[in-house]
Amino acid sequence: LTVSGGSGAVFVTGCNLHCAFCQNYQISQQGLGGELTKEKFHGICMDLQEKGAENINLVTGSHHIPKIASFLEHAKSSGLKIPVAWNSSAYESTESLELLKGLVDIWLPDFKTVNPFMSKELFQAEDYPVMAKRAIRWMMENSPMKTETVVKNGEEREKMLAGVIIRHLVRPGRLDDSVLALDWLKKHADGKACISLMSQYTPVPFKG
């Protein structure tokens, strides 16, 4: 995603899931943040772009897609040139994702579990597996991989300009679930997306 300038992360207050281990629970569940106008959002994006950010990384915006889409339209028509990354849980309808078509370049969905019992217990969303599978398929169909070669310190590196990176967090004591998730990804995402297997599970005082 980045080579030298870093990613310009913009966190959205709130979330449509209630994950029991959320590391950003102050933002996702406790209301940390402030109101933004279309103009202020554009200003934030332009400031990040001017400081050398290699993309605008929108984190957990699924519950505000219509407004974010309108904000992105304004920003892109007013000077925003770097790619936009959509960083989400994948708990989204394909109808809502259609609003972001042509506005988001890089998709960074989680694929948390294929087990509805686990998603009900840990995320308070029993239908998460069904929703996430549909959303991820839509992302892969609508955003083929596109990269550019960047030279840093004499070494060539590939940087993503468009495409999908699917993330799965391995949870302690739940390795069988990760195997099932990876099996689904092998069958449906092989050659269509990159896979990021994460191990930074961190217990937090927040309870979903």
Side-chain angles (χ1 to χ4, degrees):
L1 288 178
T2 64
V3 174
S4 58
S7 184
V10 180
F11 286 79
V12 180
T13 301
C15 185
N16 59 356
L17 287 181
H18 298 273
C19 299
F21 49 87
C22 181
Q23 290 177 260
N24 299 317
Y25 65 91
Q26 298 95 334
I27 301 171
S28 66
Q29 304 300 328
Q30 295 183 348
L32 180 64
E35 292 187 11
L36 279 185
T37 62
K38 189 178 297 186
E39 290 72 24
K40 286 183 179 179
F41 176 81
H42 171 248
I44 290 172
C45 292
M46 294 304 296
D47 184 55
L48 289 167
Q49 179 172 273
E50 290 166 7
K51 288 180 178 177
E54 295 174 74
N55 54 64
I56 299 297
N57 188 345
L58 299 176
V59 184
T60 319
S62 306
H63 53 300
H64 284 306
I65 285 179
K67 180 170 287 188
I68 292 173
S70 70
F71 282 16
L72 284 174
E73 287 177 358
H74 176 68
K76 289 206 166 195
S77 66
S78 304
L80 181 63
K81 303 299 182 185
I82 56 177
V84 172
W86 186 254
N87 190 327
S88 77
S89 65
Y91 189 52
E92 301 154 326
S93 70
T94 55
E95 291 82 5
S96 65
L97 292 175
E98 284 286 340
L99 299 176
L100 297 171
K101 195 171 182 178
L103 298 171
V104 168
D105 306 283
I106 301 167
W107 302 88
L108 306 173
D110 289 335
F111 188 51
K112 297 176 182 289
T113 184
V114 296
N115 186 336
F117 300 104
M118 182 181 293
S119 61
K120 181 179 181 180
E121 175 189 358
L122 295 181
F123 319 139
Q124 299 182 21
E126 188 173 3
D127 61 343
Y128 173 84
V130 173
M131 297 287 289
K133 289 175 182 178
R134 289 175 182 167
I136 289 170
R137 284 193 179 107
W138 184 95
M139 293 173 187
M140 293 188 297
E141 290 170 1
N142 287 278
S143 189
M145 192 76 69
K146 180 182 178 182
T147 64
E148 69 174 355
T149 301
V150 179
V151 178
K152 181 181 181 182
N153 299 327
E155 179 184 355
E156 290 189 352
R157 298 180 62 181
E158 293 295 312
K159 183 172 76 171
M160 181 180 286
L161 300 178
V164 182
I165 300 177
I166 305 168
R167 304 163 306 183
H168 176 76
L169 175 65
V170 178
R171 291 174 293 274
R174 306 279 187 160
L175 293 182
D176 289 347
D177 185 68
S178 290
V179 170
L180 292 174
L182 291 171
D183 182 60
W184 187 90
L185 290 173
K186 174 63 178 177
K187 292 177 181 176
H188 299 280
D190 194 16
K192 300 177 182 178
C194 296
I195 308 300
S196 175
L197 190 61
M198 304 183 297
S199 61
Q200 72 271 28
Y201 174 87
T202 305
V204 294
F206 165 75
K207 298 295 182 182

